Amino acid sequence: MLRKIIQARSEEYLLHIPKEYINKKIEILVLPFENESKNSNQDIIIKTAGIIKNRNIDPNQMAKRN
């Protein structure tokens, strides 16, 4: 499988197909790539999920403080 993310500078793009894909059915997709900064809140949650699970912190007690 090949995956390449490019910055489109034109409506045309020359595509090189590897020899091992010749005479085979292949799928070519063109999709917008989402910028990582747009999902920064989701990324932080994913990266830090479970980071304090071993600290015996009660979420209900934390909510009462705020």
Side-chain angles (χ1 to χ4, degrees):
M1 182 179 94
L2 298 175
R3 181 176 185 187
K4 185 172 185 179
I5 298 170
I6 64 162
Q7 178 79 31
R9 306 255 187 244
S10 170
E11 292 180 355
E12 295 181 15
Y13 185 78
L14 180 61
L15 183 68
H16 172 77
I17 299 175
K19 290 179 184 178
E20 60 266 20
Y21 291 163
I22 301 300
N23 296 320
K24 294 184 180 182
K25 288 184 178 183
I26 62 171
E27 180 178 14
I28 299 171
L29 301 173
V30 177
L31 303 169
F33 182 73
E34 290 189 28
N35 190 350
E36 292 178 16
S37 63
K38 290 181 183 177
N39 295 325
S40 60
N41 289 338
Q42 184 179 5
D43 289 344
I44 289 171
I45 292 169
I46 291 170
K47 289 177 182 176
T48 60
I51 200 167
I52 57 173
K53 70 179 181 177
N54 295 326
R55 302 231 175 158
N56 296 326
I57 297 173
D58 183 356
N60 292 321
Q61 292 294 330
M62 295 301 292
K64 290 177 184 176
R65 291 184 191 174
N66 297 329

